[in-house]
Amino acid sequence: MQYVSTRGGMEPSNFSDVLLEGLAPDGGLVVPEAIPSVEPETIESWRDLSYAELATEVIGLYWTDIPRDDLAELCRAAYGEQFKADMVVPLTPIDQMTALVDLSQGPTLAFKDMAMQFLGEALPYVLKKRGETLNILGATSGDTGSAAEYAFRSKPNIGVFMLSPKGRMSRFQRAQMYTLTDDNVHNIVVEGVFDDAQQLVKDLNGDLEFKAANSLGTVNSINLGRLIAQSVYYFWAWLRVTTGIPAEQRADFGVSFAVPSGNFGNIFSGQLARQMGLPIDTLVLATNENNVLDEFFRSGEYEPRSADNTLATSSPSMDISKASNLERFIYLVLGQDQTKLADAWQQLDATGTLDLSEHQPRFQQEFGMVSGTSTHEDRVSTIRAVYEKAQVVIDPHTADGVTVARGFQKPEQPMLVLETAKPEKFGDIVNEALGFEPELLPEFARLLELEQHTIDMGVDAEALREYIALHHV
Ligand SMILES: Cc1ncc(COP(=O)(O)O)c(C=O)c1O
Ligand SMILES: N[C@@H](CCOP(=O)(O)O)C(=O)O
């Protein structure tokens, strides 16, 4: 299997190269030359596999340049005891036709662990084989940062430079990241929003000389490895929810997923699974008040917003107005035509907007994608309603997913809402909704008391370059 850039400026590469490369050299995003397809019988044959075994099968369709036994070993290590639930990803019903897909059983209590624990095994494996080092430059709105830091903190020959937006994360998220004292972890707090931080990541990774001199890479969902690892749990959840139905009806049994969205990585992983042949009926995209993506899916017009127009909300990890992975989706919409995509992006850069309204009907008809917006009031009332009905406490991002899912529920069809974080990370809004904060395990409560270590910076590519040049591994 070979990989290319959405914009056409990358020699076909293998998956190991793509893991280290992160962003494509032409500034585009890496995509498979062709998305592999999986027959219904093959999916059925995966029904009784463990999560690690299923990950080996799905990721193995993409990572074809290493021995299968090595991949199986990496997946066993990635999906082991660091996940609290034995089955790694349990499903929790919240009413008759709706269940949460609990993706937050990992060490940092958010869905980012699902792919980051895998990259925490995969990247050192490739680096060791090649005798190379890697400096991960990342941007976070709260969860990618801690997942990456916990996955890579103990790894030799890897540095982590994580940019986070000042004053835009929850108290728990800040404590989880900023209390780390490992020499290879650098928490750089930027005077801006997540989109500013993500732009810095792209700018430095796009400077090929600097990138090579400092062995730069990234583990944001810019890195295709993240998305492939995330597509595994769509297969897993579908297999779990269809187990009770008669075998002869399973093959094309449509299930819908609702996905709290920001950088469009999680839902694009679902789109990949759908294109591979998983019977996903609808992918419901949920945004908070920063609803550029909802606007796009409803109108076909894409108009990213400035930092000043990006609100600080009570689902802060989704406070994103320029979703990286939308480029991968638009690439599919434009028929995987790299010239058309590159032209579209030039137009977007020049005018600040992209008009794809002629394609808008296809978003639902061909790609099964619909969308909606949720507000603070929605989050509060949904957290309360789910607790009253099912005695399950959900976090505000998952609440965005449940709120929007309600508008697209079809009779007799399961709706699976991806639970993207645990409520412990967002105590304030849970308290507002329920009158109590989720109890913290001692290991997490302790973090809130520890000293925090950060480097403060403006949105300043030069200052960042200097810092990395001085501190890289
Ligand atoms: C808790 C939580 N929910 C939802 C999202 C949105 O996911 P994505 O950026 O993949 O769209 C994020 C961040 O990405 C997150 O941290
Ligand atoms: N919400 C994310 C933002 C970065 O998303 P990624 O999936 O591209 O890493 C976060 O919590 O940091």
Side-chain angles (χ1 to χ4, degrees):
M1 170 77 73
Q2 294 283 287
Y3 298 86
V4 294
S5 166
T6 46
R7 302 186 196 174
M10 173 176 133
E11 287 300 314
S13 307
N14 64 34
F15 196 76
S16 299
D17 292 331
V18 161
L19 285 176
L20 297 190
E21 190 72 32
L23 188 70
D26 60 354
L29 296 185
V30 176
V31 283
E33 251 179 350
I35 297 172
S37 62
V38 192
E39 295 303 317
E41 308 80 63
T42 306
I43 298 177
E44 190 51 40
S45 73
W46 293 343
R47 187 168 293 280
D48 295 327
L49 299 184
S50 68
Y51 194 90
E53 289 165 340
L54 180 67
T56 308
E57 294 298 329
V58 176
I59 299 171
L61 297 168
Y62 293 88
W63 200 354
T64 51
D65 61 289
I66 64 164
R68 182 52 80 103
D69 286 350
D70 289 7
L71 178 58
E73 186 54 45
L74 295 174
C75 290
R76 270 195 296 276
Y79 300 110
E81 283 177 357
Q82 63 274 51
F83 288 87
K84 288 205 175 64
D86 287 345
M87 65 194 299
V88 182
V89 177
L91 264 59
T92 310
I94 54 170
D95 64 33
Q96 218 177 355
M97 293 312 284
T98 315
L100 302 176
V101 182
D102 184 345
L103 302 173
S104 310
Q105 293 279 329
T108 67
L109 309 183
F111 84 98
K112 305 292 176 170
D113 289 324
M114 294 306 306
M116 213 62 85
Q117 286 295 312
F118 172 71
L119 291 187
E121 301 298 326
L123 287 174
Y125 168 87
V126 179
L127 292 172
K128 187 169 173 210
K129 269 184 144 178
R130 298 181 178 193
E132 292 178 9
T133 58
L134 185 71
N135 290 286
I136 293 165
L137 175 59
T140 187
S141 51
D143 294 318
T144 291
S146 48
E149 291 177 358
Y150 279 77
F152 293 102
R153 62 190 290 202
S154 55
K155 308 286 182 190
N157 304 328
I158 294 186
V160 181
F161 298 82
M162 190 54 63
L163 311 178
S164 53
K166 188 167 185 175
R168 293 257 180 168
M169 295 168 10
S170 75
R171 178 169 173 243
F172 184 100
Q173 288 176 313
R174 292 194 303 273
Q176 209 173 28
M177 288 176 64
Y178 301 161
T179 54
L180 292 180
T181 52
D182 307 71
D183 286 344
N184 71 331
V185 171
H186 306 264
N187 277 306
I188 302 172
V189 177
V190 173
E191 287 276 355
V193 297
F194 169 80
D195 294 322
D196 296 316
Q198 178 159 252
Q199 194 54 51
L200 286 169
V201 170
K202 287 190 169 176
D203 288 348
L204 267 61
N205 274 284
D207 175 346
L208 299 186
E209 214 175 298
F210 183 82
K211 184 177 181 180
N214 295 278
S215 308
L216 223 55
T218 188
V219 295
N220 276 105
S221 56
I222 292 167
N223 191 319
L224 184 71
R226 279 273 311 279
L227 304 189
I228 304 302
Q230 289 174 188
S231 68
V232 175
Y233 47 71
Y234 286 87
F235 285 90
W236 175 263
W238 185 89
L239 285 163
R240 302 285 76 75
V241 84
T242 54
T243 290
I245 64 161
E248 65 282 4
Q249 291 172 22
R250 281 178 192 159
D252 56 359
F253 189 86
V255 169
S256 292
F257 286 85
V259 189
S261 292
N263 218 10
F264 201 74
N266 205 1
I267 199 159
F268 189 79
S269 303
Q271 184 59 235
L272 273 179
R274 191 172 186 272
Q275 305 255 334
M276 288 164 76
L278 188 68
I280 296 178
D281 180 273
T282 305
L283 286 162
V284 180
L285 179 145
T287 68
N288 64 21
E289 293 88 335
N290 295 300
N291 58 357
V292 173
L293 289 172
D294 183 29
E295 260 176 26
F296 172 69
F297 277 94
R298 284 171 188 274
S299 67
E301 292 188 30
Y302 177 45
E303 189 169 352
R305 293 180 198 149
S306 64
D308 289 346
N309 291 315
T310 300
L311 306 169
T313 74
S314 53
S315 47
S317 302
M318 286 160 47
D319 290 346
I320 298 176
S321 295
K322 203 173 172 191
S324 237
N325 290 288
L326 196 64
E327 178 167 342
R328 287 185 165 116
F329 178 69
I330 292 176
Y331 171 77
L332 295 184
V333 170
L334 297 178
Q336 310 193 31
D337 182 326
Q338 295 160 321
T339 310
K340 280 190 188 158
L341 189 282
D343 288 349
W345 242 252
Q346 260 175 13
Q347 187 196 324
L348 179 64
D349 287 342
T351 65
T353 63
L354 189 57
D355 183 359
L356 294 179
S357 49
E358 62 175 309
H359 297 283
Q360 193 274 344
R362 294 174 54 218
F363 298 169
Q364 180 166 12
Q365 286 158 15
E366 197 176 322
F367 297 97
M369 308 263 312
V370 297
S371 69
T373 294
S374 156
T375 64
H376 178 77
E377 289 68 34
D378 292 326
R379 286 187 276 287
V380 170
S381 64
T382 297
I383 291 172
R384 200 173 288 144
V386 170
Y387 185 69
E388 280 167 5
K389 180 147 183 108
Q391 285 74 57
V392 176
V393 182
I394 58 172
D395 96 292
H397 307 79
T398 308
D400 288 328
V402 174
T403 303
V404 176
R406 295 293 182 226
F408 295 100
Q409 205 113 26
K410 292 184 182 169
E412 306 307 316
Q413 186 183 82
M415 172 65 79
L416 299 180
V417 180
L418 300 192
E419 189 204 39
T420 53
K422 285 289 169 210
E424 287 89 323
K425 297 187 99 165
F426 308 96
D428 287 352
I429 184 171
V430 173
N431 197 8
E432 183 179 340
L434 302 180
F436 62 85
E437 289 201 20
E439 207 174 313
L440 293 179
L441 290 173
E443 74 217 60
F444 292 120
R446 201 177 55 88
L447 291 179
L448 296 172
E449 309 305 326
L450 295 180
E451 195 186 336
Q452 303 193 358
H453 311 271
T454 56
I455 300 106
D456 288 335
M457 225 177 249
V459 182
D460 183 344
E462 272 325 300
L464 184 57
R465 269 177 228 270
E466 272 173 37
Y467 186 85
I468 293 172
L470 275 177
H471 295 91
H472 68 77
V473 294

